[in-house]
Amino acid sequence: MKVGIIGFYGKLGRANMEAVNRDKNSSIAFGVSRSASEEGDDHIGYKVYNHISSVKEECDGIIDFSNRNNISSVVEYSLDKKIPLVIGTTGLTEEDEALIERASKEIPILLSHNTGFGVNVLLDIVREACKLLKGFDIEIIEKHHNRKEDAPSGTSKMIFDSMKSANENLFSNFGRTGPDSKRQVDEVGFHSVRGGTIISDHDVIFAGEDEVITISHHAESDRSFANGALKALYYLRTKKNGLYDMKDVLANK
């Protein structure tokens, strides 16, 4: 499988490159990064372009962990080539997600703010906890490196959406502050920490009377996201047009 990697020079782009290189059944077709030179950068066996519109090579699928500003061009390229697309980019707007959903009617697309298998299992765990721990207060604390642009994290939003599927009355409160900040019934507080080289930590706190349960996920490196993204691309190659997520990949294991 020949893979195009968008956001090639970013942390996750490099992790995706390494995942492809480790896999004996895949290879890199090309990279795309806004940090590449206008004429493109030569690597051993492939080229890294400044924009996807400059790409000349063919590929079997694309992995995009870049910036939301690239979404429209990446989706357009994938539609034109009729190839599957894995999107792990965070900070997407409702307009971006609507574009992706429309495109998925013509090509297979997997959209996930976190392609690690562990986090996607955690989503099921917190949903069940939400059903069982009625009356418990819920807080989400997410921690990431100091270069992350969006807050709260896409993963924390996934966690909230999973819990809300168990209790539709839940509502979010981002960064509680001010003199009148007493929590309300069914409120879920979001708290974002940005510092150093933290990869990705998420804690979901269920606080009840005289007891607290904390469900946590800690990423040791970006490899878990990259390995999951590559498995997701393999999965998409066997699927019809549609919009998929990592739960579909997990169910297929």
Side-chain angles (χ1 to χ4, degrees):
M1 180 173 66
K2 295 181 179 179
V3 183
I5 298 176
I6 316 299
F8 188 85
Y9 288 141
K11 283 176 77 276
L12 282 166
R14 292 195 297 272
N16 286 321
M17 173 192 68
E18 292 167 0
V20 172
N21 286 338
R22 285 193 301 270
D23 184 77
K24 63 181 181 180
N25 295 315
S26 63
S27 61
I28 298 172
F30 60 83
V32 175
S33 174
R34 57 187 175 183
S35 301
S37 61
E38 289 293 334
E39 62 274 14
D41 301 341
D42 291 318
H43 280 249
I44 300 174
Y46 57 91
K47 197 164 186 174
V48 180
Y49 296 91
N50 181 262
H51 194 273
I52 196 168
S53 61
S54 301
V55 173
K56 302 176 180 61
E57 293 80 1
E58 294 184 354
C59 70
D60 299 309
I62 286 178
I63 298 175
D64 179 13
F65 280 78
S66 58
N67 186 284
R68 67 155 298 269
N69 294 324
N70 298 322
I71 283 296
S72 59
S73 60
V74 172
V75 168
E76 180 181 346
Y77 181 91
S78 300
L79 281 171
D80 180 61
K81 302 298 182 182
K82 292 293 184 290
I83 54 176
L85 170 62
V86 173
I87 301 174
T89 301
T90 61
L92 301 180
T93 65
E94 290 183 4
E95 183 179 358
D96 296 329
E97 293 185 355
L99 171 67
I100 292 166
E101 185 170 1
R102 289 195 300 271
S104 70
K105 299 182 187 305
E106 300 183 44
I107 58 173
I109 298 178
L110 186 141
L111 172 62
S112 179
H113 300 302
N114 191 313
T115 52
F117 285 155
V119 158
N120 284 276
V121 171
L122 178 140
L123 298 180
D124 290 334
I125 295 171
V126 296
R127 183 175 60 250
E128 290 305 308
C130 193
K131 292 178 183 177
L132 297 171
L133 301 174
K134 298 185 185 302
F136 277 58
D137 297 327
I138 306 173
E139 299 282 302
I140 300 173
I141 302 174
E142 54 97 352
K143 307 170 189 174
H144 288 83
H145 51 82
N146 56 21
R147 298 172 308 285
K148 185 170 177 60
E149 297 178 0
D150 59 303
S153 69
T155 301
S156 64
K157 293 178 182 177
M158 290 170 63
I159 291 170
F160 174 76
D161 288 342
S162 183
M163 293 190 297
K164 192 171 176 64
S165 69
N167 179 1
E168 63 181 12
N169 295 320
L170 295 179
F171 67 95
S172 55
N173 185 354
F174 300 106
R176 190 182 298 108
T177 186
D180 187 20
S181 298
K182 182 179 178 180
R183 71 171 299 120
Q184 302 175 52
V185 176
D186 293 323
E187 173 185 321
V188 177
F190 281 70
H191 311 280
S192 298
V193 176
R194 297 290 178 267
T197 57
I198 301 171
I199 299 297
S200 175
D201 288 354
H202 291 84
D203 297 324
V204 187
I205 300 170
F206 291 86
E209 293 291 333
D210 304 313
E211 59 180 337
V212 176
I213 296 175
T214 302
I215 302 172
S216 302
H217 180 272
H218 169 73
E220 295 282 348
S221 74
D222 292 319
R223 286 183 63 169
S224 61
F225 312 132
N227 291 338
L230 186 58
K231 287 183 173 68
L233 191 55
Y234 273 115
Y235 171 83
L236 287 185
R237 293 191 67 199
T238 68
K239 298 301 171 185
K240 298 178 180 178
N241 303 340
L243 187 59
Y244 301 89
D245 60 28
M246 290 303 294
K247 289 183 181 179
D248 297 311
V249 181
L250 280 168
N252 196 57
K253 288 184 69 178

